[in-house]
């Protein structure tokens, strides 16, 4: 018999819901009605914010319609012909320059710089200038730089000229081209200035000028030929020698021995064809003709009443010598006729003479420290002044450009004057009193460009100094320290274009230096 399955248990019936309380139901309805009233009211601030963000209902609807139309047009253009795109792009106008979002007033305001700072005091031109604008300060510093350099450098002048010639339209393009050209090459970008810089003198020590034939005794004279690359030396060994100057071997050209004639002074004539040599105690002097190789002794000079001929100077006009005699006499003689044409006299002994550039005037320094200015054409003294602070004069030199006059003294002081002031005034003030030498100044020489004054004393070793004339300051690197080369120098000279400098010392040598600033001999 089959068993019948048991029926599932019946679920328990849910309890009947409780009837709501009429009072609570009434209160709930009242609260809902009040809440609906509050939500229905419009808040002005909320409505304003909605208008700003989304606009009103009508504006929002219009905006949605415009977006729908724009999307539809874009989809149609994508499906159409694209051949006109390139033409539209070619005709497209360039984008306008975007304007600044804001303008800072501080950008347009000029910065005021305090001029009381110790680094800026030298730029002040008056007590009222306590502050300067950055633009004026920059201009002031530029002027000071150009003054210290003696003018605007060549590289700066070229750039200024280029900028003036540029048009306003092409200026940016030219600057870009210059920058590109600057980045394509290497090397020195600053050009060398034609003006000699001060403080340090760039030089190179060369082989002695007379290394091929050193003198057996002290040298008394050294001089470069006015036209050729030749150096002449003479000394107490009774010889006169010529050397070809190349800075490396300096080969000997010729040497002449003058019997019983220790040379006190030797010099080239103005044309460079003759060498004049005088001795210490002889009235006779020698003339050496370089073209013919002939030595001629001059035993007597008509109209010359002197016991000896020792000191002389070659006149710039050529063909004449100015002999320094005793008792303050100066004698002008011609080499052609070998006779005295005029004589002049000063108070005291003559210690040195120097000529003006045209040779019309001569400056004669006396042992008493007075300088006389003579007119050679009229043989008349036109001016006289005392060398400031000088008790005993020893030497004198004049620059070839007519700007400077230097007077040496027994105390080692060298006063540098303006030639113009010496001709105009009887009490000129020196531009500079050089006190680097402590013993009598026996030799003074200007270089041909009138940028260097060489000073020497034969009383001490290494007593040679060089003065940078534009700045009136002494070069600090000559002579070379801790290395004796110069010894006691009695004569100084520069080559015709200042490329070389040489001197005669008591060791019989003529040290030779290459001045690297000057390119020519």
């Amino acid at each position: 018999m089959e068993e019948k399955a048991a029926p599932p248990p019946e679920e328990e019936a849910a309890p009947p819901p409780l009837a709501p309380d009429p009072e609570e139901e009434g209160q709930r309805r009242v609260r809902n009605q009040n809440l609906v009233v509050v939500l229905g009211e419009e808040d002005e601030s909320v409505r304003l914010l909605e208008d700003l963000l989304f606009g009103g209902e009508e504006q929002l609807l219009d905006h949605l319609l415009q977006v729908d139309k724009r999307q539809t047009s874009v989809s149609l253009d994508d499906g159409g012909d694209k051949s006109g795109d390139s033409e539209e792009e070619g005709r497209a106008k360039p984008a306008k320059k975007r304007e600044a979002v804001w303008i800072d007033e501080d950008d347009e305001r000029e910065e005021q710089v305090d001029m009381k700072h110790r680094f800026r005091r030298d730029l002040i031109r008056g007590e009222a200038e306590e502050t300067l604008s950055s633009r004026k300060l920059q201009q002031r510093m530029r002027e000071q730089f150009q003054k210290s350099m003696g003018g605007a450098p060549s590289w700066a002048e070229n750039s200024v000229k280029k900028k003036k010639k540029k048009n306003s339209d092409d200026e940016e393009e030219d600057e870009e081209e210059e920058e590109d050209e600057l980045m394509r090459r290497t090397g020195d970008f600053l050009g060398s200035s034609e003006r000699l810089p001060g403080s340090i003198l760039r030089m190179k020590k060369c082989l002695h000028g007379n290394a091929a034939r050193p003198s057996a005794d002290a040298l008394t004279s050294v001089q470069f030929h006015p036209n050729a690359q030749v150096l002449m030396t003479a000394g107490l060994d009774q010889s006169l020698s010529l050397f070809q100057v190349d800075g490396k071997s300096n080969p000997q050209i010729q040497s002449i021995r003058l019997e019983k004639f220790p040379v006190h002074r030797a010099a080239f004539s103005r044309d460079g064809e003759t060498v004049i040599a005088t001795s210490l105690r002889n009235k006779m002097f020698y003339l050496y003709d370089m073209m013919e190789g002939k030595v001629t002794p001059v035993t007597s000079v008509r109209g010359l009443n002197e016991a000896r001929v020792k000191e002389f100077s070659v006149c710039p006009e050529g063909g004449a010598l100015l002999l320094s005699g005793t008792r303050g006499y100066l004698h002008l003689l011609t080499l052609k006729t070998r006779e005295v044409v005029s004589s002049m006299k000063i108070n005291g002994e003559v210690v040195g003479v120097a000529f003006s550039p045209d040779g019309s005037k001569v400056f004669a320094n006396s042992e008493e420290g007075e300088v006389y200015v003579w007119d050679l054409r009229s043989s008349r003294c036109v001016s006289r002044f005392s060398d400031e602070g000088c008790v005993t004069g020893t030497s004198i030199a004049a620059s070839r450009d007519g700007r400077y006059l230097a007077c040496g003294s027994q105390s080692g002081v060298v006063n540098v004057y303006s030639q113009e002031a010496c001709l105009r005034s009887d009490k000129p003030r020196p531009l500079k009193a050089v006190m680097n030498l402590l013993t009598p100044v026996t030799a003074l020489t200007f270089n041909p460009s009138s940028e260097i004054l060489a000073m020497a004393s034969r009383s001490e070793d290494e007593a040679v100094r060089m003065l940078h004339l534009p700045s009136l300051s002494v070069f600090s690197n000559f002579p070379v320290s801790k290395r004796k080369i110069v010894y006691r120098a009695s004569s100084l000279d520069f080559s015709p274009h200042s490329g070389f400098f040489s001197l005669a010392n008591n060791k019989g040598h003529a040290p030779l230096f290459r001045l690297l600033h000057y390119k020519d001999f």
Side-chain angles (χ1 to χ4, degrees), residues 41-334:
E41 294 179 355
E42 294 188 16
D43 190 348
E44 292 296 332
S45 61
V46 174
R47 187 173 58 83
L48 179 61
L49 181 60
E50 290 177 352
D51 292 342
L52 291 175
L53 292 177
F54 308 107
E57 293 181 359
E58 296 179 357
Q59 295 175 356
L60 179 59
L61 181 59
D62 294 340
H63 177 69
L64 293 175
L65 291 175
Q66 291 176 3
V67 171
D68 188 24
K69 291 179 180 179
R70 192 180 302 114
Q71 290 178 351
T72 304
S73 62
V74 169
S75 61
L76 291 174
D77 292 341
D78 291 342
D81 186 12
K82 296 184 179 181
S83 61
D85 293 346
S86 59
E87 297 179 0
E88 293 180 359
E89 290 177 1
R91 293 193 300 269
K93 296 182 180 180
K96 295 183 179 180
K97 186 177 180 181
R98 303 176 68 180
E99 297 181 356
V101 179
W102 74 85
I103 298 176
D104 194 347
E105 296 179 356
D106 293 336
D107 292 342
E108 299 179 356
R109 188 180 305 166
E110 281 196 78
E111 180 184 359
Q112 297 294 322
V113 182
D114 185 13
M115 301 300 294
K116 295 180 181 179
H117 194 276
R118 60 191 181 94
F119 291 153
R120 307 186 190 100
R121 290 174 184 171
D122 296 338
L123 300 174
I124 298 178
R125 294 181 179 175
E127 297 180 356
E129 288 186 342
E130 296 182 356
T131 59
L132 279 179
S133 64
S134 57
R135 186 179 304 174
K136 289 184 178 179
L137 177 60
Q138 185 180 10
Q139 179 66 23
R140 193 74 56 85
M141 294 174 69
R142 184 182 295 108
E143 293 174 357
Q144 187 185 39
F145 170 75
Q146 293 181 359
K147 184 178 180 181
S148 62
M149 292 293 293
S154 59
W155 52 267
E157 290 179 353
N158 291 338
S159 62
V160 171
K161 291 178 181 178
K162 287 180 181 178
K163 288 183 179 179
K164 287 183 178 180
K165 292 180 180 179
K166 288 176 183 176
N167 296 325
S168 58
D169 298 337
D170 301 332
E171 186 173 357
E172 294 181 359
E173 296 180 1
D174 293 344
E175 288 179 356
E176 290 178 359
E177 290 178 0
E178 288 179 3
E179 291 176 359
D180 294 341
E181 180 65 23
L182 187 68
M183 299 305 293
R184 290 193 191 106
R185 62 187 179 92
T186 60
D188 296 332
F189 292 104
L190 296 182
S192 59
S193 175
E194 295 181 359
R195 299 178 183 272
L196 177 69
S199 181
I200 300 297
L201 182 62
R202 294 176 56 245
M203 65 172 60
K204 177 184 177 182
K205 176 68 179 67
C206 303
L207 187 69
H208 288 336
N210 65 338
R213 188 192 180 280
S215 176
D217 207 334
L219 285 180
T220 56
S221 297
V222 63
Q223 187 182 10
F224 289 93
H225 193 276
N227 304 317
Q229 201 163 329
V230 175
L231 177 69
M232 181 267 295
T233 63
L236 300 180
D237 65 343
Q238 307 175 27
S239 65
L240 188 150
S241 302
L242 301 175
F243 303 89
Q244 183 180 356
V245 179
D246 58 7
K248 298 178 181 179
S249 59
N250 303 325
Q252 179 184 355
I253 300 175
Q254 193 173 12
S255 183
I256 302 169
R257 182 172 177 80
L258 305 174
E259 291 293 336
K260 297 180 181 180
F261 197 86
V263 180
H264 172 71
R265 176 167 170 75
F268 288 106
S269 60
R270 186 57 56 186
D271 57 8
E273 296 181 359
T274 306
V275 178
I276 305 101
T278 61
S279 188
L280 293 171
R281 297 179 178 86
N282 296 330
K283 186 177 181 179
M284 178 183 67
F285 61 92
Y286 281 95
L287 298 178
Y288 169 53
D289 191 331
M290 297 177 59
M291 304 301 293
E292 298 181 0
K294 181 181 178 181
V295 179
T296 304
V298 180
T299 56
S300 64
V301 176
R302 186 184 305 174
L304 181 63
N305 298 319
E306 294 289 344
R308 64 179 182 270
V309 176
K310 182 180 177 182
E311 296 288 347
F312 71 93
S313 297
V314 179
C315 297
E317 292 182 350
L321 299 180
L322 187 64
L323 302 180
S324 300
T326 57
R327 301 184 303 276
Y329 276 98
L330 292 170
H331 306 284
L332 183 64
L333 64 89
T334 60

Side-chain angles (χ1 to χ4, degrees), residues 333-391:
L333 64 89
T334 60
L335 292 176
K336 185 176 182 179
T337 61
R338 299 174 189 175
E339 64 179 351
V340 175
V341 294
S342 63
S343 296
M344 298 160 282
K345 188 181 185 306
I346 66 173
N347 297 330
E349 293 291 334
V350 179
V351 295
V353 295
F355 293 93
S356 61
D358 59 357
S360 62
K361 294 180 177 59
V362 60
F363 300 90
N365 195 6
S366 73
E367 194 176 18
E368 297 177 355
E370 287 188 325
V371 179
Y372 294 78
V373 184
W374 288 84
D375 189 326
L376 286 181
R377 295 185 176 91
S378 62
S379 298
R380 186 172 59 89
C381 181
V382 296
S383 180
R384 183 178 70 172
F385 65 92
S386 296
D387 185 14
E388 187 174 281
C390 176
V391 178

